[in-house]
Amino acid sequence: MQQQQAADQRREERREDRREAAEREERLEARIAEREARLEARLLQPPSAAAARLASESNSGFRSNKAFDTLPLFSGANNQPFRSWNEEFVSIAGIVGVHHDNLRELRLKLTGPARAHYYGRYTDQDEPTLKAAMAHLSSEFGAKYEESKLWADVYQFKRKPGSPGKDVTRTLAANRQKMLAAGIPTVRSEAEDIYYLHELSLTTAQLAVFLAQLSGRADASDARLKRLTGAPDETRRESLMPALTSSDERTALFTTRLSLIVAFLDHDPGEPPGHGGTARAAATSGLTDDTSGPPPPARLPPPPQTSTTPTTRAAMVLALKAHWDNRRAREGPAPRFHGPRQGENTEYLSRNAATFAERQANQWCFGCTPEQLAKQGPIPHWECKHHGQDASEADRSIRVPGSGRSQRRH
């Protein structure tokens, strides 16, 4: 009877997963079609409309400054780097001066996806500050969560052995300019600096999990920071200048981020030797993983082993690992860790996705509720008391909806 109920539950879970996947695909196709229809009038203007627009700009007395002639168009396609193009444009705009219509120069330099993204928010009649317009473009084409790396290139700079002093000075000046161009203030709050130190300590896997969780927070996400970076200044002249001191809104954002990352690290059990944060620290600082001292002596090859028949427990562990790997690689909605499905509630979907990513990175059980996992502690999924190697068939059949089928002993 229990086996039949478990089979019925598995079939119902598969049907619901298929329905959810179909609904997500339909909504995605509808959004793409709507966006294409909305932008078609702008992207595919007939020659007569484009000529009329250029003629209108000419009649208004606008003349493009020759200083912008050497700057290429920006489309955002084919991984065209936004940061360097942005720095060059802002530098030219600063030389030309705020009395020139640099915003119109920006519109003339945009093409393809970048032009579509700009006109998805602004019109020719809108007058955002140049910083606000660049922040809007950066939200789509700029690097995400790059502030800690830019900060480390200045405040954790490591001089290469044998490099001339002039190269050190030149590199530091260039790194500082990149930091300022990204909107990082010259004088920051203590919370911002301490947050960068915490973020730089995360391993690559931990960083992916934490940033996924951060993206679900409207008050601390990268999109929120980009909006603050492009917030209009009191005068148009100030819109071309990098921020000198941190604003109250930016300080509040990094205070929230700091509390979140401290809580994240408080639940970090650590990793076995050889799998710590060395790789991320080396990638950040430019150092290698090599340590001083002679290399370890070569190991002799292990003696040949005779083949043995795997025990029932070993076979069960292999089966659990194989099923866990299949569920991890499966596309579709995340398991419903945080209760019944709540439609398209963004916060609910983000929490489930973040929890799923955290368990993927740490090899934790997908079938446990958050309360069950908290009671057991950070143990690998095959040792789970509810769904692991020692669990009964009945226990393994009770799972978080969407986390996969129950396991059978072989």
Side-chain angles (χ1 to χ4, degrees):
M1 183 64 179
Q2 290 182 346
Q3 292 180 352
Q4 181 61 36
Q5 291 178 347
D8 293 341
Q9 182 179 357
R10 292 196 298 272
R11 284 194 294 271
E12 180 60 27
E13 288 177 357
R14 287 194 294 270
R15 283 196 295 268
E16 186 168 352
D17 287 342
R18 286 196 294 269
R19 284 197 299 269
E20 289 180 352
E23 290 174 0
R24 288 165 62 91
E25 185 175 356
E26 290 177 0
R27 288 192 296 271
L28 179 60
E29 291 177 352
R31 285 197 297 268
I32 293 174
E34 181 182 357
R35 184 177 181 182
E36 289 178 349
R38 187 174 64 250
L39 298 178
E40 184 177 5
R42 296 187 182 278
L43 297 178
L44 302 178
Q45 287 183 343
S48 58
R53 183 182 173 196
L54 292 176
S56 174
E57 292 183 342
S58 177
N59 294 335
S60 66
F62 174 77
R63 298 184 64 180
S64 177
N65 193 291
K66 292 183 178 180
F68 289 96
D69 290 348
T70 58
L71 185 68
L73 299 175
F74 182 78
S75 68
N78 300 321
N79 295 323
Q80 185 180 2
F82 175 75
R83 188 203 299 165
S84 58
W85 186 89
N86 174 30
E87 292 173 359
E88 184 65 18
F89 186 96
V90 173
S91 176
I92 296 174
I95 295 173
V96 171
V98 295
H99 297 295
H100 183 67
D101 195 344
N102 292 303
L103 189 62
R104 186 171 295 188
E105 294 282 7
L106 174 63
R107 292 198 296 262
L108 292 174
K109 285 295 182 181
L110 298 179
T111 184
R115 182 169 179 265
H117 187 67
Y118 177 90
Y119 281 108
R121 179 170 182 177
Y122 303 117
T123 67
D124 288 336
Q125 286 72 42
D126 291 331
E127 288 292 331
T129 64
L130 188 60
K131 284 180 62 177
M134 286 299 190
H136 177 61
L137 293 171
S138 178
S139 66
E140 179 71 15
F141 304 105
K144 305 296 188 293
Y145 296 100
E146 65 173 346
E147 287 77 19
S148 63
K149 175 63 169 61
L150 297 175
W151 180 89
D153 286 343
V154 175
Y155 294 100
Q156 292 184 348
F157 174 77
K158 301 293 183 181
R159 180 177 181 176
K160 295 181 179 179
S163 59
K166 288 185 177 180
D167 287 353
V168 173
T169 303
R170 191 179 301 112
T171 301
L172 276 172
N175 290 351
R176 185 173 183 274
Q177 183 58 39
K178 291 178 181 178
M179 187 185 78
L180 295 175
I184 302 177
T186 305
V187 180
R188 298 161 306 280
S189 64
E190 183 181 20
E192 182 167 351
D193 285 348
I194 296 178
Y195 168 79
Y196 292 147
L197 291 171
H198 281 76
E199 184 184 305
L200 291 166
S201 73
L202 299 180
T203 65
T204 302
Q206 290 173 333
L207 184 65
V209 173
F210 177 73
L211 294 185
Q213 297 175 352
L214 207 59
S215 296
R217 291 288 300 254
D219 57 343
S221 65
D222 184 75
R224 167 66 175 166
L225 184 59
K226 291 291 193 298
R227 287 195 293 272
L228 293 180
T229 300
D233 296 300
E234 294 181 359
T235 67
R236 192 171 179 84
R237 177 181 298 276
E238 291 179 350
S239 68
L240 296 178
M241 299 172 60
L244 297 179
T245 59
S246 180
S247 64
D248 293 340
E249 293 82 1
R250 186 182 182 95
T251 298
L253 181 145
F254 277 99
T255 300
T256 302
R257 282 192 178 185
L258 180 58
S259 65
L260 293 173
I261 200 169
V262 168
F264 180 84
L265 287 170
D266 282 346
H267 292 83
D268 175 24
E271 295 182 335
H275 299 279
T278 307
R280 174 165 170 75
T284 301
S285 63
L287 302 176
T288 64
D289 292 343
D290 294 338
T291 57
S292 58
R299 291 184 177 182
L300 295 175
Q305 298 180 350
T306 58
S307 59
T308 58
T309 303
T311 63
T312 303
R313 181 183 294 260
M316 172 57 66
V317 172
L318 291 177
L320 289 170
K321 289 182 177 180
H323 177 64
W324 188 90
D325 288 338
N326 290 335
R327 185 61 184 85
R328 177 182 61 177
R330 172 187 167 189
E331 297 181 357
R336 295 182 286 281
F337 296 109
H338 301 285
R341 182 183 176 191
Q342 301 177 12
E344 292 303 309
N345 186 301
T346 303
E347 182 179 358
Y348 170 79
L349 295 175
S350 299
R351 288 182 65 196
N352 278 313
T355 301
F356 192 34
E358 182 180 23
R359 298 196 186 190
Q360 287 176 311
N362 293 282
Q363 294 192 1
W364 294 340
C365 178
F366 294 145
C368 284
T369 63
E371 293 76 17
Q372 289 176 322
L373 196 64
K375 289 181 180 179
Q376 295 185 94
I379 59 176
H381 65 88
W382 60 88
E383 295 180 5
C384 174
K385 300 173 184 177
H386 305 286
H387 309 96
Q389 57 189 347
D390 296 323
S392 66
E393 284 288 333
D395 287 341
R396 278 197 296 274
S397 66
I398 303 174
R399 310 175 61 89
V400 167
S403 63
R405 59 181 178 82
S406 62
Q407 296 291 325
R408 296 182 179 276
R409 293 187 181 274
H410 297 281

